[in-house]
Structures are given as C-alpha cells and as structure tokens.
C-alpha cells in the first residue's frame, strides 16, 4: 500500500499537565484505520508526500517534504479547538515509481472514508495535483446525498492546464475535475495572477464556467466586492471544499514554494476569507499545498501553512 504510518515524534512542543498544544492532542493512527466514532468533532490529517505532479509540470522539486514540515509547525501551536474534539493523524500517501494515479486513488478513497465518518479532513501537500484526488473524494461523498459542491482555490494559478499525454500534473487538477463533473463543476479561484496565466487559461476558465478574481482586485480595499462575490458563490452550492496553494501568498510571507511570486496576497487578508467561508457552515474539507521546505526561510512558509490549517479547523469545529 502506498501509505506511510504517522511519525509521532514530529508532533512536539511545550509540555503541560493538560492539553494546551496541538502536539498533545494529535493521535497517530496506523494503517489508515479511520475512526468511526460519531460522538465528538474530529479533524483527520492526511499528508501527500508526493511531487510527481510537480515534476510533470516542470516545477521545483521538494514538495514531498511538505507534510512533515507542516506537522512540525502545527505541533507547537496552542490548542483552541473544543475540548471534546479529536485530531487524528493518518500519516502520508506517497508515490512509488512515478505512479501518480495509484496514490491519487488511495487519497480519494481515504477522503471519502473521512467524510463518511464525520471528520473534517485537512490534507497537507505535496503538489497541487492532490486537489484532483481530494476533489474526487468529496464529490463521491456528496453524490449519495444529492448535494452540490463548490471548490474555492486560493492560488496564483488557475490550475486548469491540459494534461500531458493524458497524464495529470500539478497544473491540471481543476480541469480534470471539470471534465469529470461537467455541469456539476462550480469553481472559484481567488488571487489569480495574470503574469503566470496566459490568455488561453482565461479562455479555458470561461469554457468550464469558472469564476475568479485577479490579484489586482483581490485586496483589502476591495473587500465589499470580494465578500459579495464569495457570498454569491456560497449561496449557489451546498458544500465547500477549500484548497490553499501557498504560492498564492506573497513570497515575502511564503518563500518556500515551487513557484514564488512577490505579488500574492497577505496572510491577514487570506484569514479574513477563511473566516467568511467557515461562518457559512458549508466548509467540509480543505488542503494546504505546494509547500517546498527546500526553499523555505526559517520555516516561515511551513508556519504559515500550519496557521492556515489551525485557523480553519478552529473556526469550523467551534
């Protein structure tokens, strides 16, 4: 199986008599044996230690080390989730012999199982091709409930590029989801940068019915317009899957990514969006992707990725 059990030693931090930090609350689960108890709110953490999709997309390698770097930063954060909640670490899915598709299948099945057992899944990347596997799992979960899914991607890129010789990569996940779901595909990309998305990708976005906001408009002084657009999108769907690509942030705050840019959004603004999404009560799953520890400075990007996961979990489970 393309799975590595969690390493409890990654979860460390200050010691205390009661649970005050994430490392004290995290429970390592072996062999993807998903907790089925319905009595308490729970977070299911799953890492994607894979970068084959980044390689196929000609990106900088190193994202396979992302999940563990985020765990290390998460462990030291203060624990403000409800006292009755549980945090389960289900380890990492990895890619063997460039077989991206097999690792995707395992992620899809695991996401489906986590949602069926009332977890709030937080997936840690890894390349953004993770979104294809993650999205498939969420669609599968909602299919039996006859509910619609909205995907919100906070990213400098649309990630609507065509596959290469029929194979997906870190730049193609949302086009693949659009092709697989067609009329059911509802997608909002926030923070798109024109400098890294040619006209052909804007045309593709139009063809698949995507909505977006370019970086020039995705700023705090335009909050009322942004809020209206997000609320309209939220009203059009039953549930939301949030994908946070760390290269959407300005490289001043997130240098450790495969495709850094100085023109991305600021953390405090992103967290304002997180607050709005969480308050809708429709957010059911998220991932944080494209952290590349090889290019990070003083774990700044890993810390920010961990803060994204912690903040959303705290707001969703409250």
């Amino acid at each position: 199986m393309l799975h590595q059990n969690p390493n409890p030693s990654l979860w460390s931090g200050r010691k205390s008599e009661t649970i005050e930090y994430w490392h004290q609350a995290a429970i390592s689960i072996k062999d993807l044996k998903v907790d089925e108890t319905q009595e308490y709110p729970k977070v299911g953490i799953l890492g994607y230690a894979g970068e084959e999709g980044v390689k196929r997309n000609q990106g900088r390698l190193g994202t396979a080390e992302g999940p563990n770097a985020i765990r290390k930063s998460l462990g030291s954060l203060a624990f403000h989730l409800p006292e009755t909640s549980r945090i389960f670490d289900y380890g990492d899915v990895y890619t063997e012999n460039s077989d991206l598709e097999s690792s995707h299948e395992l992620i899809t099945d695991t996401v489906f199982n986590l949602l069926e057992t009332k977890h709030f899944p937080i997936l840690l990347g890894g390349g953004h091709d993770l979104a294809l596997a993650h999205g498939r799992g969420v669609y599968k979960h909602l299919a039996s409930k006859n509910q619609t899914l909205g995907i919100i991607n906070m990213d400098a890129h649309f990630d609507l590029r065509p596959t290469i010789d029929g194979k997906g990569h870190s730049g193609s996940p949302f086009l693949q989801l659009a092709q697989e779901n067609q009329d059911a595909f509802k997608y909002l990309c926030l923070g798109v940068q024109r400098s890294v998305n040619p006209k052909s990708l804007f045309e593709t976005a139009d063809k698949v019915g995507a909505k977006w906001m370019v970086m020039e408009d995705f700023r705090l002084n335009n909050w009322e317009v942004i809020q209206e657009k997000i609320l309209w999108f939220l009203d059009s769907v039953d549930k939301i899957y949030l994908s946070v690509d760390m290269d959407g942030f300005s490289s001043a705050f997130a240098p450790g990514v495969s495709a850094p840019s100085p023109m991305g959004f600021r953390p405090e603004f992103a967290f304002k969006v997180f607050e709005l999404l969480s308050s809708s009560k429709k957010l059911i799953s998220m991932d944080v992707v494209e952290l590349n520890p090889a290019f990070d400075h003083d774990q700044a990007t890993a810390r920010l990725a961990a803060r994204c996961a912690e903040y959303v979990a705290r707001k969703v489970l409250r």
Side-chain angles (χ1 to χ4, degrees), residues 115-173:
L115 289 169
E116 290 287 300
T117 52
K118 308 299 183 184
H119 289 72
F120 179 72
I122 298 179
L123 275 64
L124 311 176
H128 210 167
D129 55 281
L130 167 65
L132 174 61
H134 191 168
R136 283 171 170 167
V138 183
Y139 274 117
K140 182 179 178 182
H141 166 69
L142 294 179
S144 62
K145 305 177 187 306
N146 198 29
Q147 292 182 320
T148 56
L149 176 65
I151 301 172
I152 294 182
N153 178 31
M154 298 181 67
D155 197 345
H157 307 85
F158 277 119
D159 286 345
L160 290 169
R161 292 184 179 276
T163 56
I164 301 172
D165 298 325
K167 292 185 175 182
H169 50 83
S170 63
S172 66

Side-chain angles (χ1 to χ4, degrees), residues 142 145-151 186 233-241 280-284:
L142 294 179
K145 305 177 187 306
N146 198 29
Q147 292 182 320
T148 56
L149 176 65
I151 301 172
K186 296 182 183 296
F233 187 79
L234 289 171
D235 286 343
S236 71
V237 297
D238 295 312
K239 299 296 180 182
I240 291 289
Y241 149 42
S280 73
K281 304 300 182 183
K282 293 185 176 185
L283 184 55
I284 62 168

Side-chain angles (χ1 to χ4, degrees), residues 102-131:
S102 290
S103 54
H104 278 190
E105 288 177 10
L106 180 55
I107 292 168
T108 295
D109 290 343
T110 305
V111 168
F112 173 75
N113 290 335
L114 290 174
L115 289 169
E116 290 287 300
T117 52
K118 308 299 183 184
H119 289 72
F120 179 72
I122 298 179
L123 275 64
L124 311 176
H128 210 167
D129 55 281
L130 167 65

Side-chain angles (χ1 to χ4, degrees), residues 9 40 64 79 87 98 121 152 172 235 309:
S9 67
Y40 41 72
F79 185 75
I87 300 172
S98 302
I152 294 182
S172 66
D235 286 343

Side-chain angles (χ1 to χ4, degrees), residues 254-311:
V257 296
S258 294
S261 169
M263 301 307 294
F265 42 78
R266 300 174 63 90
E268 61 267 29
F269 183 60
F271 280 53
K272 196 173 179 67
V273 175
F274 297 160
E275 173 73 33
L276 180 59
L277 299 182
S278 301
S279 65
S280 73
K281 304 300 182 183
K282 293 185 176 185
L283 184 55
I284 62 168
S285 194
M286 79 172 294
D287 57 46
V288 183
V289 301
E290 295 288 345
L291 168 63
N292 192 325
F295 298 95
D296 210 357
H297 300 159
D298 193 28
Q299 295 83 51
T301 316
R303 296 175 198 271
L304 178 55
R307 291 291 185 92
C308 291
E310 184 276 335
Y311 187 84

